Amino acid sequence: MTTEGEKRTAKRAMVGRLSWGLADQAASSMTNFAVGIYVARSLGLTAFGVFSLAWLTYGVVLNVSRGLATDPLVVRFSGVPAASWRAAAARSSGAALGIGAALGVVCLLVGLGLGGRVGPAFVCLGVVLPALLLQDAWRFAFFAAGSGRKAFANDLVWGVALVPAMVVAAHVGSVAAFVLAWGASAAVAAGYGCLQSGIRPRTTGARGWLREQRDLGYRYLVENVSLSGASQLRAYGLGAIVGVGAVGAVRGAELLLGPFLALLMGLSLVTVAEAARVLRRAPHQLNRFCLLLGGGQAVAALLWGAALLLMPDRIGEFVLGGVWNSASELILPAALGVAGAGLGTGAAAGLRALAAARRSLRCQLFASACYVGGGLGGAAVAGTVGSAWGVAAATLSSSAVWWLQLRSALRERHQKSIREVRTP
């Protein structure tokens, strides 16, 4: 039976891991925020729109890697013995590296075929994708092991390496140069991750990893890609309906909400691992954990959005330059959308911890369909602002579906436990 002292120790350990997770996400979001702001101020609205298309494509590829390589690692190898974690981390990181190389070749070929303004950005993205995905894989591995401070240190190294790289890119003055600078600094952090872990990625074990984790991996792949793919479809559709400048305006508004968007993007680094630990230790506390997690994020996003609405125009123009005027009109719907996404992410963490891949897949497909429909439908009716309000409505509606599915999954697990107890 668990004593009060053991419970307090467990809570302190959880708070410590979550604190390192928040610190890591703060470092990651500040890095992403700094890159976006620097590029926006250096290149202007149209070129920033091109950079945003490359950034969104990276988001799709990142979610492919997470679904196949690293999400199963967090679900199944959080809090396991060190030997099991090391073997799994070597194969998981090898799978991430292999996925980056394969999809990098695709991006490179697409970029060569496109040419024009967009093509060089995609060529450079293809070159740096392996490093970007390996760096992200180390973060997942460290959080699965409960070593959040190592993930935080890795992101700090990336941020430090990014400073001289961005300065060089600014002298060149092209989108391609900024993409290369962003990827080169990630390569420094990826190499540092190998030193931190003492593990070399096993690309030869990638196929075995994908085969063994396919029951979760393929569902998580579809789920993750539908999420990032919806963003990509909205961006391309918005560019076609309104213009590439509209993509830059949306990205500018997202940058203003950057701390929370980056937190959501990498949330599974911390919360899925912690939800899995809560499920093993105190299953009855999982719903409460998820509610506090989602509610806290939603409230924080709303408070940040309110602060942005009160921000003087001169500060916004200093931060975003010429992008500010277009982006400032989208702050309110963007903040509501992020709040809805934050609330839904709490339920998503619970479904991942329960390994309820079918339920989470259904939720994500519904959310993605609503996101694309709301974003493009709104754009057709009322341009960029209409697209932002359409996305906000879609995200808030989808959040309710996530929570209904978590409630059903918890009820199903409870009934199964009762049947197992009654069965001799």
Side-chain angles (χ1 to χ4, degrees), residues 24-266:
D24 174 71
Q25 289 305 320
S28 176
S29 46
M30 287 306 297
T31 298
N32 293 334
F33 183 75
V35 170
I37 294 300
Y38 201 73
V39 175
R41 290 182 58 83
S42 301
L43 298 181
L45 186 62
T46 301
F48 183 57
V50 174
F51 181 83
S52 298
L53 290 177
W55 185 286
L56 286 168
T57 303
Y58 156 71
V60 174
V61 176
L62 181 66
N63 279 305
V64 171
S65 176
R66 287 181 174 180
L68 292 176
T70 49
D71 279 344
L73 175 75
V74 173
V75 171
R76 286 181 166 154
F77 294 91
S78 293
V80 300
S84 298
W85 171 81
R86 289 181 65 84
R91 294 196 296 159
S92 174
S93 59
L97 191 59
I99 291 167
L103 295 182
V105 171
V106 174
C107 283
L108 193 151
L109 293 175
V110 169
L112 291 174
L114 286 173
R117 283 187 168 185
V118 178
F122 276 77
V123 169
C124 294
L125 178 64
V127 172
V128 301
L129 268 179
L132 288 165
L133 297 192
L134 180 58
Q135 192 273 339
D136 187 71
W138 288 132
R139 297 172 69 213
F140 269 77
F142 291 142
F143 278 111
S147 301
R149 60 168 60 88
K150 291 185 177 180
F152 175 69
N154 195 276
D155 270 327
L156 281 184
V157 168
W158 189 1
V160 171
L162 194 60
V163 174
M166 286 286 117
V167 172
V168 172
H171 282 295
V172 177
S174 68
V175 175
F178 278 105
V179 173
L180 283 176
W182 170 47
S185 55
V188 174
Y192 180 58
C194 295
L195 294 176
Q196 286 177 292
S197 62
I199 297 171
R200 292 177 58 186
R202 281 187 55 201
T203 54
T204 55
R207 182 176 297 179
W209 175 262
L210 297 177
R211 184 174 58 252
E212 291 169 16
Q213 309 301 327
R214 65 180 179 272
D215 59 326
L216 294 181
Y218 292 143
R219 288 193 175 96
Y220 289 160
L221 168 65
V222 176
E223 183 179 328
N224 290 356
V225 171
S226 69
L227 171 64
S228 52
S231 298
Q232 193 79 352
L233 287 173
R234 182 213 179 184
Y236 287 141
L238 188 61
I241 295 169
V242 185
V244 177
V247 181
V250 169
R251 178 60 186 154
E254 290 174 348
L255 280 173
L256 294 173
L257 289 154
F260 300 100
L261 289 171
L263 182 65
L264 291 173
M265 190 176 175

Side-chain angles (χ1 to χ4, degrees), residues 339-345 347 366-367 393-405:
L343 186 61
T345 303
F366 174 80
T395 307
L396 289 167
S397 301
S398 302
S399 177
V401 175
W402 279 105
W403 280 100
L404 288 172
Q405 286 295 318

Side-chain angles (χ1 to χ4, degrees), residues 203-392:
T203 54
T204 55
R207 182 176 297 179
W209 175 262
L210 297 177
R211 184 174 58 252
E212 291 169 16
Q213 309 301 327
R214 65 180 179 272
D215 59 326
L216 294 181
Y218 292 143
R219 288 193 175 96
Y220 289 160
L221 168 65
V222 176
E223 183 179 328
N224 290 356
V225 171
S226 69
L227 171 64
S228 52
S231 298
Q232 193 79 352
L233 287 173
R234 182 213 179 184
Y236 287 141
L238 188 61
I241 295 169
V242 185
V244 177
V247 181
V250 169
R251 178 60 186 154
E254 290 174 348
L255 280 173
L256 294 173
L257 289 154
F260 300 100
L261 289 171
L263 182 65
L264 291 173
M265 190 176 175
L267 196 64
S268 57
L269 293 173
V270 187
T271 55
V272 174
E274 288 307 316
R277 289 186 177 96
V278 170
L279 183 63
R280 291 190 184 102
R281 189 181 65 252
H284 61 284
Q285 293 290 333
L286 181 62
N287 188 64
R288 181 171 177 269
F289 172 82
C290 294
L291 186 60
L292 289 173
L293 173 68
Q297 288 183 97
V299 170
L302 291 174
L303 290 174
W304 185 264
L308 290 174
L309 289 171
L310 298 174
M311 186 170 67
D313 286 342
R314 64 178 182 275
I315 298 177
E317 290 169 357
F318 174 77
V319 173
L320 287 180
V323 179
W324 166 254
N325 288 332
S326 300
S328 61
E329 298 178 353
L330 312 180
I331 290 173
L332 179 57
L336 290 173
V338 172
L343 186 61
T345 303
L351 287 174
R352 286 286 177 94
L354 289 164
R358 290 184 179 179
R359 290 185 181 277
S360 61
L361 176 58
R362 286 198 294 267
C363 289
Q364 190 55 66
L365 290 176
F366 174 80
S368 298
C370 289
Y371 182 93
V372 174
L376 297 186
V381 173
T384 310
V385 176
S387 179
W389 278 108
V391 165

